[in-house]
Amino acid sequence: MALLTDDLKAWIGREVHYPAREELGRASIRYFALAMGDKNPLYVDDAYAREAGYPSVIAPPTLICDSCQYANRQPDANGYIGHEWPLPIVNCRMIRAGNDYEFMRRVLPEDRISVTWILENIVERGSSRGGPQLFVTSVARYQDAAGEVVAINRETVVYQPMANA
């Protein structure tokens, strides 16, 4: 049973843009660092950050990948408001297989970070348990208000047929 249909192939190259609704803000930076259990003073102490060569506190690197671009979206059936491609795949479970991050510069509280996602590729491969599975690769480019790319996130998700489907 092949999973990679012409309908799915048509998704390759699709793009979606989520504009920044607001600045990241000091509170978001502090709360994210606390939630991650990261006590790095660069995230909470202006004087320490200035001594390290920054104009103010900085954001933990992955905060921009989980920030406010999606705040205006409606949650899906599972309560998720982040980006997902609504691919026409049935009777499969989605597994997040990994992210590869590249960070160009540190992000500051006053930065407004927008993101553009591109569905880069869909590949069908056999699984170790037999049968096909789909590997979907997307690239997210995070930009500041001036259009400078500040980070790139390459994400891979796998779709595996449900055992009882």
Side-chain angles (χ1 to χ4, degrees), residues 25-162:
R26 291 174 178 281
S28 293
I29 291 171
R30 185 175 63 254
Y31 297 154
F32 189 83
L34 286 169
M36 299 297 294
D38 193 333
K39 298 178 192 250
N40 188 333
L42 287 172
Y43 308 146
V44 295
D45 185 333
D46 272 324
Y48 185 89
R50 279 194 293 278
E51 285 178 24
Y54 299 104
S56 70
V57 296
I58 58 175
T62 58
L63 171 63
I64 62 172
C65 301
D66 293 314
S67 60
C68 57
Q69 303 97 335
Y70 310 115
N72 230 20
R73 291 174 47 101
Q74 290 298 313
D76 68 11
N78 297 315
Y80 183 66
I81 63 170
H83 172 76
E84 283 187 341
W85 299 105
L87 298 173
I89 300 173
V90 295
N91 297 323
C92 286
R93 66 181 178 149
M94 183 188 76
I95 302 166
R96 296 197 181 278
N99 295 78
D100 182 27
Y101 299 107
E102 182 180 356
F103 300 101
M104 285 59 174
R105 75 160 172 86
R106 294 298 194 143
V107 177
L108 304 170
E110 62 271 12
D111 278 320
R112 290 177 172 265
I113 306 298
S114 297
V115 61
T116 300
W117 283 89
I118 298 172
L119 198 153
E120 189 175 66
N121 203 6
I122 304 174
V123 176
E124 184 173 321
R125 296 185 185 133
S127 95
S128 61
R129 295 181 290 172
Q133 54 188 357
L134 293 174
F135 289 77
V136 179
T137 306
S138 301
V139 176
R141 286 185 173 73
Y142 298 87
Q143 297 177 312
D144 63 16
E148 176 188 348
V149 175
V150 296
I152 297 172
N153 171 16
R154 178 167 273 108
E155 178 179 80
T156 302
V157 295
V158 178
Y159 288 88
Q160 293 181 334
M162 302 293 278

